[in-house]
Amino acid sequence: MSPPLVIPFFIPHQGCPHLCVFCNQRLIAKQTSETQRFDNETERLSDAIHTYLQFKKNRSRVELAFFGGNFLGLEKSRILTLLKAVQPWIRQGQIHGIRCSTRPDTISRQVIDLARPLGLETVELGVQSMDDQVLALAERGHTSEDTRKALALLKENGLKTGVQVMVGLPGDDDYGAVRTAKELSELKPDLARIYPLLVLDGSRLAQWYRSGRYVPLSLDQAVTQTKKMVKIFRCSGVSVARIGLQATPMMDDARQMIAGPWHPAFGHLVLSALMFDQACEQIGTLLTGRQGIGESGEKKSVVLQVHPRSLSRLQGDRKTNIDRLTQAYPGICFYIERVESLDIDKVHARILNV
């Protein structure tokens, strides 16, 4: 089944009572101004729906997503106005569900009772971390207990849940990122999104960076931490819906994005690292009890089987995975075979000649 068409409707920073250390006030003000180019917000919403429905093609499901702000933290009248504006498309069967992103501390039975009857099906929480010290240092204004209570209440009311987390937050480290993934996995959200923290000019984090108080993760560190989190989520049955930030002109502007592990294909780097680890595990299993394979002597051939859509992941950026495998196992010649029946996230290894 093809993934649903998701129509994003952004309300940047709106409804949020806090300004985190990584937020850029000037950029937020600019985005807010741009999103108000129509006097009537429902007109802008209608315009977005009409535009995106043109790209539905053969997808059987369409969802509207209120992203970029604290949707359930908006005034109740505004929540109702936006949700009611979607109802004509829901009644016509053109939109099948609504999702939103919001803060954990805005979840209450009252707001659920307000939004769920109007089509809200999925709520993604801006968790960022499950370490209360990290949350306090980032001035998030909520705690890990708020996240636990919010997820429980959403599930009790039959809503699907998502969690959004960051790697590289001030005060966090490799251990903390892993612990966050483990704690969230135990709470069984339906999906997760993982983003690397970037330093934006105009934020307090930028001041900390310039003074030496904050050191961002390197790209390799961010990939490694994210890879570990993805493994934990996957092993717990939590779907990882997105890895990395969407590319925008701001990311290529050194005056705005001044530091941090930015890469336009960050998600691909993480998935490639996961494929490399799997390949090594598979090869290690093949080598167990076999003499002369991967060591000096006669070369052997190993076939790495992968789904066609995952070929580039297995090869790695600029085929770095293949180069690394060749260096790690000089006694083996590697071949790649595309197999449609394999899981898109899996790689299988077999010996061609023994």
Side-chain angles (χ1 to χ4, degrees):
M1 180 182 295
S2 60
L5 170 66
V6 177
I7 302 174
F9 187 77
F10 289 95
I11 49 170
H13 198 68
Q14 296 175 38
C16 185
H18 295 273
L19 183 65
C20 303
V21 297
F22 47 79
C23 284
N24 178 332
Q25 288 178 300
R26 294 197 303 271
L27 181 61
I28 290 166
K30 181 175 183 292
Q31 289 177 327
T32 301
S33 175
E34 289 174 349
T35 58
Q36 293 173 345
R37 63 183 183 274
F38 294 112
D39 291 334
N40 188 340
E41 190 170 38
T42 57
E43 182 180 346
R44 185 168 63 87
L45 176 59
S46 176
D47 181 67
I49 293 172
H50 279 298
T51 299
Y52 275 87
L53 283 178
Q54 299 176 45
F55 304 102
K56 180 184 177 183
K57 296 183 179 179
N58 61 344
R59 282 178 277 199
S60 60
R61 182 173 175 82
V62 178
E63 297 180 3
L64 179 74
F66 292 102
F67 283 154
N70 183 31
F71 182 72
L72 296 181
L74 297 172
E75 293 182 1
K76 290 184 179 180
S77 60
R78 190 171 171 204
I79 295 174
L80 286 173
T81 296
L82 289 169
L83 292 178
K84 287 180 178 179
V86 187
Q87 300 311 299
W89 283 275
I90 292 179
R91 287 193 294 268
Q92 295 167 18
Q94 292 181 290
I95 291 179
H96 306 94
I98 299 172
R99 63 173 59 212
C100 73
S101 60
T102 199
R103 291 170 54 89
D105 53 353
T106 61
I107 301 300
S108 67
R109 194 171 299 278
Q110 291 74 21
V111 76
I112 291 174
D113 290 342
L114 179 76
R116 189 184 174 201
L118 293 173
L120 183 65
E121 294 182 347
T122 304
V123 177
E124 298 188 27
L125 301 176
V127 175
Q128 315 314 352
S129 173
M130 290 298 282
D131 186 316
D132 285 335
Q133 291 185 341
V134 171
L135 292 172
L137 190 57
E139 298 188 22
R140 285 290 297 168
H142 67 80
T143 66
S144 59
E145 185 60 23
D146 290 325
T147 294
R148 295 185 187 93
K149 290 179 179 178
L151 285 171
L153 189 56
L154 290 167
K155 287 178 175 291
E156 286 174 13
N157 285 272
L159 289 163
K160 294 180 180 179
T161 58
V163 292
Q164 300 172 4
V165 295
M166 283 183 166
V167 295
L169 285 165
D172 207 0
D173 55 19
D174 192 75
Y175 172 78
V178 167
R179 191 178 69 176
T180 286
K182 287 182 177 179
E183 289 191 24
L184 287 174
S185 293
E186 291 173 359
L187 299 175
K188 299 296 182 183
D190 295 285
L191 64 93
R193 300 179 193 268
I194 310 173
Y195 304 110
L197 178 60
L198 304 179
V199 182
L200 302 180
D201 189 37
S203 66
R204 273 172 290 169
L205 191 65
Q207 298 174 9
W208 294 359
Y209 168 72
R210 290 187 173 109
S211 69
R213 179 179 174 182
Y214 173 73
V215 178
L217 295 178
S218 68
L219 183 60
D220 286 344
Q221 288 173 325
V223 167
T224 298
Q225 282 194 16
T226 304
K227 177 186 70 174
K228 292 177 181 179
M229 298 183 85
V230 172
K231 282 184 178 180
I232 293 167
F233 283 132
R234 283 181 174 176
C235 288
S236 301
V238 179
S239 172
V240 180
R242 185 173 184 85
I243 304 169
L245 295 159
Q246 183 175 352
T248 65
M250 179 188 69
M251 301 303 183
D252 294 322
D253 187 346
R255 295 169 300 177
Q256 296 188 64
M257 203 286 287
I258 61 176
W262 162 247
H263 192 286
F266 182 80
H268 177 75
L269 296 181
V270 173
L271 295 174
S272 292
L274 286 164
M275 279 284 182
F276 177 81
D277 287 353
Q278 279 194 58
C280 289
E281 291 170 4
Q282 289 276 321
I283 295 165
T285 300
L286 288 179
L287 298 185
T288 302
R290 296 180 183 271
Q291 300 296 322
I293 300 179
E295 302 172 357
S296 59
E298 181 185 356
K299 280 203 170 189
K300 301 297 181 182
S301 297
V302 169
V303 177
L304 299 175
Q305 297 176 317
V306 69
H307 190 281
R309 288 171 55 192
S310 295
L311 176 61
S312 62
R313 296 180 188 175
L314 176 59
Q315 291 176 327
D317 186 38
R318 300 178 184 178
K319 297 188 177 180
T320 52
N321 279 355
I322 302 303
D323 292 340
R324 291 172 64 195
L325 287 173
T326 301
Q327 293 172 9
Y329 304 98
I332 296 177
C333 291
F334 290 100
Y335 299 90
I336 297 177
E337 180 181 2
R338 286 171 279 194
V339 180
E340 288 276 359
S341 59
L342 281 180
D343 187 296
I344 194 170
D345 295 319
K346 300 294 184 182
V347 60
H348 177 73
R350 64 182 179 86
I351 296 175
L352 187 61
N353 57 320
V354 294

